[in-house]
Amino acid sequence: MIERNRIAIVGFVATAITFGPGRMAYGMFLPQLKEEFAFSAGTAGAIAGLGFAAFLLALFVTGSLTPRFGPRLPLLIGGGFAVAGFALTALAPGMAVLSLGVACASASAGFAWTPFNSMTQQAVPEQYRRRVLSIVSTGTTFGIIAAGSWRWA
C-alpha cells in the first residue's frame, strides 16, 4: 500500500512539473515570448520542433537507461533537465538560450513518464496499476493549470 501510494504521489508531482510547465509552457506563453524576443512564426515553429525532438530523444535515452540502471536515474536526469530548462528560459538573453531552455524543459518530460510505468509494473499489485498510472498522468492537468495561472498565484 505504501509503495503504490508513494509511486502515485511522486509520479503525480513529477508529471505535473515535467509535462505541465516543462512540456506545455512554451505553447502557452508563445505570444509573450514572441513579443519579448521578436521572432517570426517560422522561428516559433522551429523552437517548438526542437522541443519535440528533445522530448523524443529523451524517450529513447530513457528506454535505454531504465532497464540498465532502474527508474530513478532517468527521473533524476529529467528533474535536472526541468530545472535547467526553466532557468535557461527564464533568464534567456536571446534566442539561442531560449531555444536551449525550451529543449531542456521538453526533454524533462521524456525522462519522466517511462520510469513510472516501470515502477508501477514492478512494485504495484496488478489490481492497482491502472489507478496508480491514472494518478500519475493526471499530474499533467494540474501542472498545466499551475503553469497557466502563475501570474494569478
Side-chain angles (χ1 to χ4, degrees):
M1 168 117 170
I2 292 172
E3 188 68 18
R4 78 170 183 252
N5 290 341
R6 190 171 68 163
I7 291 170
I9 291 167
V10 172
F12 176 90
V13 171
T15 303
I17 292 168
T18 60
F19 276 87
R23 183 91 170 89
M24 304 294 180
Y26 173 71
M28 293 170 60
F29 298 113
L30 186 56
Q32 294 91 334
L33 292 170
K34 282 178 70 176
E35 183 178 314
E36 175 71 23
F37 293 98
F39 55 82
S40 68
T43 300
I47 295 170
L50 182 63
F52 279 99
F55 174 73
L56 181 64
L57 180 61
L59 287 172
F60 282 113
V61 171
T62 301
S64 168
L65 291 176
T66 301
R68 286 187 194 159
F69 302 104
R72 287 190 177 128
L73 179 62
L75 286 172
L76 290 171
I77 293 170
F81 269 87
V83 169
F86 298 160
L88 288 168
T89 302
L91 302 172
M95 293 298 301
V97 176
L98 174 69
S99 299
L100 182 59
V102 169
C104 287
S106 293
S108 72
F111 285 106
W113 177 250
T114 303
F116 286 105
N117 276 321
S118 297
M119 281 188 274
T120 301
Q121 290 297 324
Q122 293 170 7
V124 175
E126 187 173 350
Q127 71 263 29
Y128 298 109
R129 288 179 188 160
R130 288 183 182 159
R131 181 180 301 163
V132 168
L133 288 174
S134 292
I135 293 168
V136 170
S137 64
T138 301
T140 300
T141 301
F142 286 90
I144 291 169
I145 291 168
S149 60
W150 69 272
R151 287 187 182 164
W152 178 78

